[in-house]
């Protein structure tokens, strides 16, 4: 029952996405869409084969065939690639590192062919040996070069053991050479993908803040702080000019006028320094004359 519900949900999702796709052929050729189709079809194929052959004599053979189709349901796990950056990076790495992977397989194939031949000629004269032919020795060379070493086939002669030792060392070197290139491709794509996701999240946050009207830029905050500092400094200079005693030469009026001129000059300089970092739309609302009048 659970499987029927899940298959119904997946089928409905696939059909709706196919119906809403502008390009049906491109949708059908998509890698993830092919995986979705392969995950859905085994259920319907097995259901059709069982129901159509239930009364026939070959029902048991059909059931065995259906079991093979049901194994394909494991492909549903690959649907997580839509929401997993790691799985997307892995798929990108495999797709873009096919030359390095082909080189790795070529090196392994050459090593397997060479060392299986040497091991066969070294072990063929032993009694009850498992190295009966060069193709039968391929298995030993493959698991030895990949450093798996199941131990089901082992050399007994000294020459065979020497061949096995060289096979292990060459296998480590052959596998280690192309792997850094593949790892580098994976790391670069994963880094770029994480940056894209962070940029999209920031953009969405900014758009939400703009819609709600609660966004305050750092430029506006710096402008407000600088203007407040300049006005406070001008007030301090004005108060010092008012409180200072009149001089013998010019008197209190000239001292106050000098203080006011200094405050206006300071305010104008601060405004010009701040307004250079603002957009024209912001600076057009005020000018040094407004500060002078203030």
């Amino acid at each position: 029952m659970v499987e029927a519900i899940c298959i119904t949900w997946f089928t409905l999702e696939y059909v709706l996405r196919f119906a809403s796709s502008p390009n049906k052929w491109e949708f059908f050729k998509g890698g993830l869409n092919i995986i979705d189709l392969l995950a859905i079809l085994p259920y319907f194929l097995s259901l059709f084969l069982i129901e159509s052959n239930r009364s026939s004599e070959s029902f048991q053979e059909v059931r065995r065939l259906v079991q093979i189709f049901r194994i394909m349901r494991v492909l549903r796990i690959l649907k997580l690639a839509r929401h997993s950056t790691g799985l997307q990076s892995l798929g990108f790495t495999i797709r873009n590192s096919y030359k390095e992977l082909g080189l790795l397989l070529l090196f392994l194939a050459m090593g397997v062919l060479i060392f299986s031949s040497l091991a066969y000629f070294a072990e063929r004269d032993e009694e009850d040996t498992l190295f009966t032919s060069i193709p039968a020795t391929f298995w030993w060379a493959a698991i030895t070069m990949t450093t798996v070493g199941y131990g089901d086939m082992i050399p007994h002669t000294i020459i065979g053991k020497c061949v096995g030792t060289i096979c292990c060392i060459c296998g480590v070197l052959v596998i280690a050479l192309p792997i850094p290139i593949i790892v580098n491709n994976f790391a670069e794509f994963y880094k770029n993908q994480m940056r894209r996701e962070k940029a999209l999240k920031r953009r969405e946050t900014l758009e939400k803040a703009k819609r709600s009207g609660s966004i305050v830029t750092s430029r506006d905050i710096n402008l407000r702080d600088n203007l407040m500092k300049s006005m406070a400094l001008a007030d301090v200079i004005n108060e010092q000019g008012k409180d200072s005693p009149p001089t013998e030469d010019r008197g209190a009026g000239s001292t106050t006028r000098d203080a006011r001129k200094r405050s206006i000059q300071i305010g104008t300089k601060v405004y010009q320094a701040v307004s250079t970092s603002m957009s024209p739309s912001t600076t057009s609302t005020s000018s040094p004359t407004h500060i002078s009048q203030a």
Side-chain angles (χ1 to χ4, degrees), residues 246-251 254:
T247 59
E248 295 179 358
D249 298 334
R250 300 193 178 221
S254 63

Side-chain angles (χ1 to χ4, degrees), residues 147-203:
T147 67
V148 176
Y150 287 118
D152 54 347
M153 294 178 66
I154 56 173
H156 296 283
T157 62
I158 296 177
I159 299 176
K161 291 179 181 179
C162 292
V163 171
T165 303
I166 299 172
C167 182
C168 293
I169 297 172
C170 292
V172 172
L173 294 175
V174 163
I175 294 175
L177 289 176
I179 290 299
I181 303 174
I182 302 173
V183 172
N184 189 25
N185 292 337
F186 178 84
E188 286 183 0
F189 181 79
Y190 186 78
K191 234 181 252 185
N192 294 331
Q193 198 71 9
M194 293 299 293
R195 287 174 185 169
R196 290 174 188 170
E197 291 182 359
K198 289 181 180 178
L200 288 175
K201 288 181 181 178
R202 289 174 185 170
R203 190 177 301 170

